[in-house]
């Protein structure tokens, strides 16, 4: 945990709004606030969280919780942050992976999913069977 002098410098770089605490210091290419030297950089929201809440459990990400009104990567308000697994953090977002994970049916409306053996995706069984029949020459009506 950083010492008092470093914490004072960090707190001086935070603009406290009615909800979010916006980091006004250096920003990484990932659009998150960053602290430190070239050799040792850390994300500002992680340092501030650890100062106010304690250590982040190993293997956990800090999620900027949208339900608490937070949508900014520059927010360092510890009340807006929650330690979660990387999977939960990704699925709460709006990335293509998160959007696909929330889908309950395929594009044709079927909900009979087949999870690939490697775990890297899922496919619709009904559509797979239709494609196989078409490939083998058995034409039938597409649902």
């Amino acid at each position: 945990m950083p010492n008092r002098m470093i914490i004072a410098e960090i707190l001086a770089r935070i603009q406290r709004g009615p909800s979010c605490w916006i980091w006004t210091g250096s920003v990484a290419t990932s659009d998150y606030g960053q602290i430190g030297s070239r050799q040792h950089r850390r994300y500002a929201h992680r340092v501030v969280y650890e100062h106010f809440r304690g250590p982040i459990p190993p293997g956990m990400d800090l999620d900027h919780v949208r339900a608490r009104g937070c949508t900014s990567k520059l927010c360092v308000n510890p009340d807006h942050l929650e330690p979660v697994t990387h999977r939960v953090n990704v699925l709460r977002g709006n990335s293509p992976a998160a959007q696909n994970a929330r889908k309950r049916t395929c594009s044709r409306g079927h909900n009979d999913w087949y999870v690939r053996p490697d775990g890297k995706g899922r496919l619709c069984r009904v559509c797979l069977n239709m494609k196989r029949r078409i490939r083998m020459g058995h034409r039938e009506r597409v649902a």
Side-chain angles (χ1 to χ4, degrees):
M1 192 173 296
N3 66 34
R4 286 182 185 262
M5 197 162 96
I6 294 172
I7 288 297
E9 290 176 23
I10 290 169
L11 294 177
R13 292 188 178 111
I14 297 172
Q15 180 182 19
R16 292 188 187 201
S19 178
C20 287
W21 299 359
I22 302 299
W23 178 253
T24 60
S26 176
V27 177
T29 56
S30 61
D31 293 334
Y32 287 99
Q34 66 181 358
I35 298 169
S37 64
R38 287 185 185 180
Q39 293 81 23
H40 185 70
R41 290 189 178 144
R42 294 194 59 210
Y43 286 128
H45 65 286
R46 293 181 70 86
V47 173
V48 173
Y49 182 90
E50 288 174 344
H51 173 70
F52 287 102
R53 297 286 189 266
I56 300 164
M60 300 294 254
D61 290 351
L62 280 183
D63 181 27
H64 288 82
V65 182
R66 188 176 303 275
R68 297 179 190 164
C70 188
T71 57
S72 174
K73 289 182 176 183
L74 292 176
C75 179
V76 296
N77 184 342
D79 292 336
H80 291 182
L81 301 169
E82 178 182 357
V84 295
T85 63
H86 182 69
R87 177 179 170 78
V88 169
N89 193 17
V90 169
L91 293 177
R92 284 182 178 177
N94 286 322
S95 68
Q99 291 173 9
N100 285 328
R102 287 191 287 270
K103 289 181 183 175
R104 296 291 168 235
T105 62
C106 75
S107 60
R108 292 189 174 107
H110 308 127
N111 63 358
D112 187 9
W113 295 105
Y114 164 74
V115 178
R116 291 176 34 168
D118 60 6
K120 295 182 179 179
R122 58 188 179 167
L123 303 165
C124 174
R125 263 186 238 275
V126 177
C127 292
L128 279 174
N129 288 334
M130 271 193 298
K131 288 175 188 174
R132 188 179 330 111
R133 282 190 217 99
I134 289 169
R135 217 176 25 247
M136 294 173 69
H138 301 93
R139 299 254 177 216
E140 62 181 54
R141 196 178 120 251
V142 177

